[in-house]
Amino acid sequence: MQNTAKFQLQDWFNITGRGLVIAGQIIEGGITAGDYVCINDKTIKIKSVEIGDKRPNEFFIGLILEIKDQIDISPALKKLKGKTLLVLAATTVN
């Protein structure tokens, strides 16, 4: 599988009605809806890519994830905070 991008995980949160969001910065490549982010041994589909702001002139990228079977990935995210996650193009997964 070929990675499309590298994403540095800074934080995560839930948005009611939308789902789990992982927030951070794209440090290499590009990410689009339909791509997959690798979190430990799981590849999780990205529903949408959003931009958010914390303060004036400080932005982050939010990846809204499609979590199946309501799995809890919070423990994995705690261990990966500050680390780089690989993002795979939708065409390379399946």
Side-chain angles (χ1 to χ4, degrees), residues 7-13 22-24 39-40 54 73-85:
F7 182 81
Q8 185 177 32
L9 177 65
Q10 295 171 338
D11 206 356
W12 64 94
F13 51 91
I22 59 173
I39 299 176
N40 286 349
K54 298 184 219 177
I73 62 169
S74 296
L77 294 175
K78 287 179 187 175
K79 292 179 183 176
L80 294 170
K81 189 171 183 176
K83 305 265 194 244
T84 299
L85 306 178

Side-chain angles (χ1 to χ4, degrees), residues 11-12 20 28 34 40 47 52 64 70:
D11 206 356
W12 64 94
L20 178 67
E28 183 179 300
N40 286 349
K47 284 197 289 189
I64 300 177
Q70 300 304 312

Side-chain angles (χ1 to χ4, degrees), residues 12-51:
W12 64 94
F13 51 91
N14 280 293
I15 297 177
T16 303
R18 304 237 14 230
L20 178 67
V21 179
I22 59 173
Q25 299 298 323
I26 299 171
I27 57 173
E28 183 179 300
I31 300 173
T32 60
D35 289 347
Y36 290 79
V37 63
C38 298
I39 299 176
N40 286 349
D41 60 345
K42 296 176 178 26
T43 52
I44 300 172
K45 189 172 187 175
I46 299 168
K47 284 197 289 189
S48 69
V49 180
E50 312 284 334
I51 191 164

